[in-house]
Amino acid sequence: MQGPPAIQQTRILPSKITPVQNNNGTDGLSKAAPDVQMAHSVEDLGALEALTLPSDSENFELPKEWKNLSREDIIQKLGDLSLDSEKDMSRNNIINIISTISPPADETPDQRDQKTLDIYSIRLAKLLQFGELQKVLSLYKMNEGIPPTSQAAEAGVSAMFWAKQTALACLEQKALPANIHQENPSFWDKVGLFCNGLLGPASGEDETLKFINASRIYVAATGLDAPDTIEKLNSYDQISLVALGNLGKLSEILKNSDATQQLADLPLSLLLAIEQQDPEIKQILETEATHRGLIRISEQASSPLEEEDQTEPLEENVKTDG
């Protein structure tokens, strides 16, 4: 299985962020400049909502009930979309709807209500929910500005962790404005904790072991126990699942193929990306992914980055004294 296709970007920060050297910090990361809260204008948000991804089928056409919808209707229907709500539709068609639907060209967002999600954020959140992490990564990097919501940023950073782009994920987390962190502080605190472990001396000098050591530091610092049921596993956040999975602490529960059928799509996709994994578990996960139509993700997820170890850029950006 091959890693996700490389996406052109800077080696230190995603192209949407302009770095400045943070001479006061101790973590060796650059930070975004300037340190201000940037609100999206109606025009900016309208451009984000118009961003779509190509369908997986040349013959795909939006179902009749999804055509000629207002922006408000699209937001409502996307928010409610699930496999249960669309029992007569294939999973692939549902993903194509999420990826391709866009608001009418003559409808622009009203002055943004902070409590109302936009189509871009909902699109990312739904693709994340369905485990379509390569699509999340591609869509997230199409935005060259600050993400409009914490939900959008969470999806993008989760996809970076899935793709082993941990350096970029940590830099993205640090560069996000305070209002994004405040929307979901629990998630962002966990990302920060993992990144501190990744950058700290306890993670070691061996680039191939840094991610494993950071996972070990994270699990120890949080006192995190492995779930004893699939139901509990499904409730764990993405960072905790990645850390536990990379330490092999989910092996026992995943050896039960019947139980694995209860995995939600997102945990299944995250676990498919674990590189060093018991062959028996790998086969069970791939079988379940094939059954669901997620196998194209499994084909991309075994070694999620082909070109280089993504912890390397961190070393390039560490301050040196003297």
Side-chain angles (χ1 to χ4, degrees):
M1 295 184 292
Q2 301 299 318
I7 298 174
Q8 294 301 317
Q9 59 196 26
T10 60
R11 284 175 54 80
I12 302 299
L13 283 175
S15 59
K16 63 184 179 181
I17 299 173
T18 301
V20 294
Q21 188 63 41
N22 178 10
N23 293 320
N24 297 321
T26 58
D27 57 10
L29 287 174
S30 295
K31 64 184 293 185
D35 229 354
V36 296
Q37 304 302 309
M38 294 182 64
H40 283 263
S41 69
V42 170
E43 291 77 14
D44 291 339
L45 200 56
L48 285 181
E49 291 193 334
L51 292 177
T52 60
L53 296 168
S55 70
D56 292 327
S57 171
E58 293 181 1
N59 300 321
F60 172 74
E61 183 178 347
L62 280 173
K64 180 174 62 176
E65 63 272 22
W66 284 86
K67 292 181 178 179
N68 303 316
L69 296 178
S70 67
R71 175 180 179 271
E72 184 178 345
D73 287 339
I74 292 174
I75 288 175
Q76 181 65 49
K77 285 179 72 68
L78 280 180
D80 294 339
L81 192 60
S82 69
L83 289 175
D84 289 336
S85 70
E86 300 289 348
K87 291 183 181 295
D88 296 331
M89 191 183 301
S90 70
R91 184 187 189 280
N92 194 54
N93 276 348
I94 291 176
I95 299 304
N96 284 333
I97 288 172
I98 298 170
S99 300
T100 63
I101 195 167
S102 59
D106 59 350
E107 283 195 43
T108 56
D110 297 326
Q111 191 63 34
R112 181 165 176 260
D113 180 349
Q114 295 297 322
K115 296 181 180 179
T116 302
L117 285 175
D118 56 274
I119 291 175
Y120 178 75
S121 296
I122 295 175
R123 198 191 309 276
L124 282 169
K126 283 296 174 179
L127 290 172
L128 182 71
Q129 175 187 330
F130 281 94
E132 296 285 344
L133 291 165
Q134 180 56 52
K135 290 181 181 294
V136 170
L137 196 62
S138 298
L139 181 62
Y140 189 73
K141 290 185 176 182
M142 290 168 69
N143 172 25
E144 296 185 353
I146 294 172
T149 63
S150 180
Q151 193 166 16
E154 179 180 337
V157 168
S158 296
M160 290 176 186
F161 267 88
W162 164 79
K164 296 295 189 293
Q165 297 182 6
T166 47
L168 293 176
C170 291
L171 290 165
E172 182 80 349
Q173 183 268 348
K174 186 175 179 64
L176 292 170
N179 65 310
I180 295 289
H181 290 164
Q182 290 164 1
E183 287 184 44
N184 188 0
S186 175
F187 176 80
W188 295 115
D189 286 348
K190 289 172 181 176
V191 176
L193 181 61
F194 190 98
C195 290
N196 287 341
L198 187 69
L199 286 164
S203 65
E205 298 297 327
D206 187 332
E207 294 297 337
T208 63
L209 295 178
K210 272 185 174 291
F211 193 77
I212 298 297
N213 289 336
S215 296
R216 187 173 293 112
I217 293 167
Y218 174 91
V219 169
T222 57
L224 188 64
D225 292 323
D228 55 7
T229 67
I230 294 293
E231 183 180 10
K232 286 184 181 178
L233 188 155
N234 284 334
S235 71
Y236 277 32
D237 64 273
Q238 299 90 289
I239 308 306
S240 296
L241 285 176
V242 167
L244 288 170
N246 275 280
L247 295 178
K249 291 184 176 292
L250 301 176
S251 298
E252 207 54 47
I253 191 173
L254 294 175
K255 284 184 178 178
N256 184 337
S257 59
D258 291 336
T260 306
Q261 294 174 17
Q262 302 170 33
L263 274 173
D265 286 341
L266 176 56
L268 177 57
S269 289
L270 289 169
L271 295 173
L272 280 169
I274 304 296
E275 293 180 7
Q276 296 179 354
Q277 192 156 225
D278 185 319
E280 178 186 352
I281 295 174
K282 189 173 185 179
Q283 181 60 51
I284 290 172
L285 293 174
E286 289 181 350
T287 298
E288 181 60 26
T290 301
H291 175 71
R292 296 189 197 185
L294 273 166
I295 192 59
R296 68 185 185 282
I297 293 181
S298 73
E299 290 171 348
Q300 297 170 343
S302 178
S303 54
L305 271 193
E306 298 175 338
E307 291 190 345
E308 59 183 309
D309 185 334
Q310 287 300 296
T311 56
E312 182 181 347
L314 294 173
E315 297 300 315
E316 296 180 6
N317 207 36
V318 173
K319 301 197 308 297
T320 56
D321 297 324

